[in-house]
Amino acid sequence: MKNILIPTDFSKNATDAAKYTLNLFENEKCKFYHLHSVDIEVSRLNNLTHKFTQSIREEALIKLNKLKSYFTITDTKFKNRQKTILSFDSLVDSVKLNTKKHKIDLVVMGTKGMTGLRKMFFGSNAVNVLNQTEECATLIVPDEMEFKTINKIGFPTDLKSISPKVIEDVKFLAKLHNATILIMHILDDDTLTDIQQENLDKLKKEFEGIDYYFHVMPLYDKVAEEILDFIEDAEIDLLAITKNEHSFIEKIFREPVIQKLGHKITIPLMVVPQAN
């Protein structure tokens, strides 16, 4: 069974992310944890009256239960698959704590469009959660993202190292939706190195029994723009990226091009830790 943590501030984009996630895993035995963090500084919390903090707690619990009921009414299959968590820790601390406590496999974050993706990666809660979540993958869902069948999963890789965790998560989604994996590699030299060829052979072996294609793209532009071209040309439904210090994701968010093109990324982005 998969355990999925969905932080919420009860905004529309957070609810959209939850809706997308439940649809994404509706045919898998999953338990969904709706987490709301009331982020009040400890110094302030100590000065608040018990009556006031109790009212905050009660209001948040009502909203959490309404959120859970909303999905139960939408589809009865979710009736016994949802849990709610109310925390007075910071969002990052609460995600870290509950990821370990409930053995979470995936954390889901909604973001305001994908101009929000750029903003998110410069200091918001979402990037802090992403940076601090090392035990599992993080799925970033654009605002107003309506679920559609996942037919193609894009998987950019430099082939310098391949994590078993990344392979496991990409394979899981591909099998769940009978999707094709499109491995994308930007060739910055004439040929693959021995290590890159070895890792490519490993990927091909791991993906046996699953439809996959290997795309080689020449280095003609910044990495972010090439990935955007790849998403558009190949009609990718979900992009999976490895998180490590030399990964594509690090290059993407160092490049100024994301400031101009970030709003064009309109599909979910799954970021999987390299470690494990």
Side-chain angles (χ1 to χ4, degrees), residues 179-208:
T180 300
I181 300 170
L182 285 78
I183 307 166
M184 176 251 199
H185 176 69
I186 297 176
L187 197 63
D188 53 6
D189 207 339
D190 291 336
T191 58
L192 297 178
T193 65
D194 290 343
I195 291 177
Q196 287 176 318
Q197 185 60 57
E198 182 180 328
N199 283 323
L200 176 57
D201 292 340
K202 179 180 179 181
L203 275 180
K204 289 179 176 179
K205 185 176 181 179
E206 289 287 346
F207 291 155
E208 282 181 2

Side-chain angles (χ1 to χ4, degrees), residues 153-157 162 166-167 170 181-185 203 207 230 236 238-242:
I153 299 172
F155 180 31
T157 174
I162 302 294
V166 176
I167 293 173
V170 173
I181 300 170
L182 285 78
I183 307 166
M184 176 251 199
H185 176 69
L203 275 180
F207 291 155
F230 168 65
I236 300 299
L238 182 146
L239 193 71
I241 297 182
T242 306

Side-chain angles (χ1 to χ4, degrees), residues 6 18-19 29 53 70 81 91 117-118 127-128 138 169 174 201 222 227 235 271:
I6 313 175
K19 185 187 299 183
K29 291 183 178 179
T53 55
Y70 168 75
R81 296 168 60 184
L91 177 61
L117 184 61
R118 174 184 166 264
V127 70
N128 292 329
T138 302
D169 285 2
D201 292 340
K222 294 179 184 287
I227 290 180
E235 299 181 333
V271 184

Side-chain angles (χ1 to χ4, degrees), residues 234-262:
E235 299 181 333
I236 300 299
D237 299 305
L238 182 146
L239 193 71
I241 297 182
T242 306
K243 174 187 168 187
N244 62 38
E245 60 179 334
H246 301 299
S247 71
F248 279 91
I249 195 167
E250 295 294 330
K251 294 177 184 177
I252 288 172
F253 297 109
R254 283 203 301 266
E255 292 180 357
V257 71
I258 200 66
Q259 298 181 23
K260 295 184 292 184
L261 300 178

Side-chain angles (χ1 to χ4, degrees), residues 124-136:
S124 73
N125 276 329
V127 70
N128 292 329
V129 168
L130 179 60
N131 284 337
Q132 295 296 322
T133 305
E134 298 296 339
E135 290 82 8
C136 64

Side-chain angles (χ1 to χ4, degrees), residues 40-54:
I40 301 176
E41 295 178 8
V42 175
S43 58
R44 286 187 58 206
L45 189 60
N46 290 336
N47 291 324
L48 296 176
T49 65
H50 173 73
K51 184 176 181 180
F52 184 65
T53 55
Q54 188 63 25

